[in-house]
Amino acid sequence: MEIKKNEEYIVEIIDNGYQGEGIAKINGITIFIPNTLKGEKVRIIILKVLSSHAYGKAIETLEFSSKRKESDCSTYKRCGGCNLRHVEYQETLRMKQNMVQSLVNKTLKNKIDVQGIVGMDNPYHYRNKAQYPLGRDKSGKSVMGVFANRTHEIISIKKCLIQDEKTEEIAKFVFNFIVENNISIYDENTRKGLVRHIVTKIGKKTNEMMCIIVINGNKIPKEKELVKAILNRFPNVKSIVKNVNNRNTNVIFGNKNINLYGKGYITDILGDFTFKISPLSFYQVNPIQAQKLYELAVLSADIKNTDVVFDLYCGIGTISLFLSRYAKKVYGIEIVEEAIAMAKENAKINNVYNTEFIAGDVEVALTDLIDNKKIIPNFVLVDPPRKGLDGVSINNIMKLRPKKIIYISCNPATLVRDLAKFEELYYINSLKCVDMFPFTSHVECVAVLQLKQDM
């Protein structure tokens, strides 16, 4: 039986995929169906047919999974941010661990067991950073919210259950000021208009808040009045920044920041350390789970005070400082210069003196440390972006042959791809998951690799 677009079928969901989508089979062809769960019987309509698989949409659920729950968000299906909002939280943890285990089984020679997943005690309002685009809806009304899944249509959100409530309140306050004072809003199509995004950050432990207004220009009308209004309403705001982005791009921030109030940063506490957070620097959006992730990585590696560690993709130095308590010396590398400047500041304010931070492309800086400065690490920690490690960096690490590699990953697919390349020289001692983004399909992993000749 040939599968045809726009035709309806009744299917049983036999598993869930890497993005939380349901998986069914029709005549051996795999069908991916969002918002469905293993064990459910569903009437679907086929949306797209490819040579090896197809995509469908559920139009009626005939038999429900016992793990399904009523969604507590009215816009989650359109938003796409919390694509597991219809699943009981403990079941989302099981799904994520199983997904990582499936990737391991398919890719690695050493079929290790994924050693559990660290969940959140309270998986709500955990994000310390919010990014809200501004625009107009189909009727021309000004809106602020999030982009609808796979589109640039902005959905106005009344309440988000993963964003910090205070930062959400600030963003709405600024948006209302913009609307009430007839300040123009950026139009992606015409590239005209002023305000593009409102970005808010908060220190979860310090309660210090930052508001960043991204504009297509240089001056905000009634700028001083806006700053005064924000400070009167939100006394915990310690920094207000104007970011200039005149480019025709989907990237939120431009390169120019102008402080309207404060010193241009806020602070937060992670573990025993205080960190400065600037507008452009990366800081984990869920610091509660980030602390668990870093402690897991450091303790799993069993670092000694005689060890030299390379921390690649170090950001503002968060995990480098965690490592510094155990290691002899930590070298952190990061391509964002502002993040490296902040990392140096973070080391200074925490009285940490056994770290050195280097601004540059990891591939180039790593080669310089090895070939020119002749620094050979015992441990290498990597925390790359979603695309994983590049081939040159993997080869450089393999040439170094550190006794252990700690690999932190936000993308299990690229993680296991890279682990397979290390298997020739390394055993994978352990692999564990941390739920950094509850009710989404994303999961962080920590893998510890040991050089075979050292075992």
Side-chain angles (χ1 to χ4, degrees):
M1 182 176 66
E2 183 183 357
I3 300 171
K4 295 182 179 179
K5 183 179 177 180
N6 296 327
E7 288 201 354
E8 294 184 10
Y9 301 87
I10 293 176
V11 298
E12 291 187 2
I13 307 302
I14 58 174
D15 205 351
N16 285 95
Y18 301 142
Q19 299 297 320
E21 73 278 27
I23 296 174
K25 294 273 189 179
I26 301 176
N27 291 338
I29 301 295
T30 300
I31 318 293
F32 296 104
I33 308 132
N35 303 314
T36 59
L37 292 176
K38 182 179 179 180
E40 293 186 330
K41 181 181 276 189
V42 187
R43 185 188 304 277
I44 66 169
I45 185 169
I46 298 296
L47 302 178
K48 187 176 183 180
V49 180
L50 302 175
S51 58
S52 61
H53 59 278
Y55 297 91
K57 177 183 177 181
I59 54 178
E60 182 185 6
T61 303
L62 305 174
E63 294 179 12
F64 289 92
S65 165
S66 62
K67 305 300 182 182
R68 177 177 289 275
K69 72 178 185 70
E70 285 294 321
S71 171
D72 44 13
C73 174
S74 60
T75 57
Y76 92 101
K77 286 186 179 180
R78 295 193 64 210
C79 165
C82 301
N83 58 335
L84 298 181
R85 195 109 232 141
H86 59 292
V87 189
E88 291 179 358
Y89 181 59
Q90 291 302 316
E91 179 65 10
T92 69
L93 299 181
R94 188 196 66 78
M95 289 169 64
K96 292 180 185 187
Q97 183 179 338
N98 286 351
M99 178 265 289
V100 177
Q101 186 68 63
S102 177
L103 285 168
V104 166
N105 294 345
K106 290 177 181 177
T107 310
L108 300 182
K109 294 176 184 177
N110 179 21
K111 311 300 184 187
I112 64 166
D113 291 331
V114 178
Q115 299 173 346
I117 180 168
V118 180
M120 266 196 105
D121 296 331
N122 178 20
Y124 296 90
H125 303 295
Y126 54 82
R127 288 184 61 93
N128 60 9
K129 175 184 176 182
Q131 302 174 153
Y132 297 104
L134 275 64
R136 298 193 181 279
D137 62 17
K138 293 176 181 177
S139 66
K141 181 182 177 182
S142 299
V143 291
M144 179 196 77
V146 295
F147 289 120
N149 194 21
R150 302 182 187 278
T151 76
H152 269 222
E153 178 190 351
I154 297 173
I155 304 170
S156 181
I157 291 183
K158 295 180 180 179
K159 186 177 182 62
C160 178
L161 294 168
I162 63 172
Q163 297 290 3
D164 184 279
E165 293 172 289
K166 302 185 200 73
T167 61
E168 189 175 60
E169 192 179 346
I170 294 171
K172 289 177 179 176
F173 180 85
V174 173
F175 174 68
N176 288 335
F177 182 96
I178 289 166
V179 172
E180 290 168 5
N181 289 277
N182 295 314
I183 298 171
S184 67
I185 289 172
Y186 183 73
D187 186 314
E188 281 189 337
N189 297 317
T190 64
R191 296 180 59 188
K192 294 181 180 179
L194 185 65
V195 184
R196 301 175 68 138
H197 280 81
I198 298 169
V199 181
T200 53
K201 298 186 177 187
I202 187 170
K204 285 288 191 176
K205 292 285 181 68
T206 62
N207 278 319
E208 294 181 3
M209 294 187 281
M210 172 186 287
C211 180
I212 308 159
I213 304 163
V214 183
I215 60 171
N216 175 43
N218 295 301
K219 178 76 174 175
I220 303 172
K222 297 190 177 181
E223 199 167 83
K224 291 182 179 178
E225 291 93 330
L226 173 58
V227 170
K228 185 178 179 181
I230 293 171
L231 297 175
N232 285 342
R233 179 68 178 80
F234 303 99
N236 282 356
V237 170
K238 303 300 179 185
S239 177
I240 302 174
V241 176
K242 177 172 59 177
N243 176 270
V244 178
N245 185 358
N246 297 320
R247 297 172 296 171
N248 180 22
T249 175
N250 291 332
V251 176
I252 292 174
F253 290 120
N255 295 323
K256 186 178 180 182
N257 288 314
I258 301 166
N259 291 340
L260 301 180
Y261 173 79
K263 296 180 179 179
Y265 66 84
I266 57 174
T267 63
D268 197 17
I269 297 169
L270 201 62
D272 297 328
F273 300 104
T274 299
F275 292 95
K276 286 185 177 181
I277 304 162
S278 63
L280 302 185
S281 62
F282 174 78
Y283 182 70
Q284 289 284 5
V285 298
N286 185 343
I288 294 170
Q289 293 298 90
Q291 182 173 336
K292 296 177 184 177
L293 176 73
Y294 295 160
E295 288 173 348
L296 174 65
V298 172
L299 295 176
S300 297
D302 191 28
I303 297 169
K304 302 291 192 299
N305 60 10
T306 54
D307 291 321
V308 174
V309 183
F310 284 2
D311 178 13
L312 311 184
Y313 310 94
C314 67
I316 62 172
T318 45
I319 198 164
S320 293
L321 296 194
F322 274 73
L323 291 164
S324 71
R325 295 163 58 182
Y326 302 91
K328 178 182 179 181
K329 185 71 179 276
V330 180
Y331 293 87
I333 304 173
E334 169 63 51
I335 197 169
V336 180
E337 291 188 7
E338 181 182 315
I340 285 295
M342 202 62 66
K344 292 176 179 178
E345 277 288 309
N346 288 330
K348 184 178 179 181
I349 63 177
N350 286 286
N351 298 312
V352 173
Y353 303 106
N354 62 336
T355 57
E356 184 176 326
F357 294 102
I358 301 161
D361 185 274
V362 165
E363 179 182 327
V364 177
L366 185 58
T367 302
D368 180 60
L369 279 173
I370 298 164
D371 294 342
N372 299 329
K373 297 182 180 177
K374 307 300 181 183
I375 298 169
I376 307 299
N378 310 97
F379 283 69
V380 171
L381 183 140
V382 295
D383 186 3
R386 291 190 62 78
K387 64 181 180 180
L389 292 173
D390 61 86
V392 173
S393 293
I394 289 176
N395 289 336
N396 277 334
I397 294 170
M398 297 270 270
K399 288 177 187 175
L400 285 173
R401 299 200 176 192
K403 63 181 181 182
K404 282 188 182 178
I405 300 168
I406 308 109
Y407 195 137
I408 298 175
S409 172
C410 60
N411 185 348
T414 55
L415 168 66
V416 296
R417 178 202 69 195
D418 293 346
L419 291 181
K421 296 174 184 177
F422 284 113
E423 278 194 296
E424 178 185 348
L425 295 179
Y426 286 86
Y427 288 113
I428 302 166
N429 273 0
S430 63
L431 176 57
K432 193 164 185 175
C433 306
V434 176
D435 189 27
M436 228 35 167
F437 306 102
F439 294 112
T440 78
S441 56
H442 299 292
V443 62
E444 296 268 335
C445 298
V446 178
V448 179
L449 289 71
Q450 184 160 346
L451 191 65
K452 289 180 178 180
Q453 66 187 41
D454 278 2
M455 293 187 72

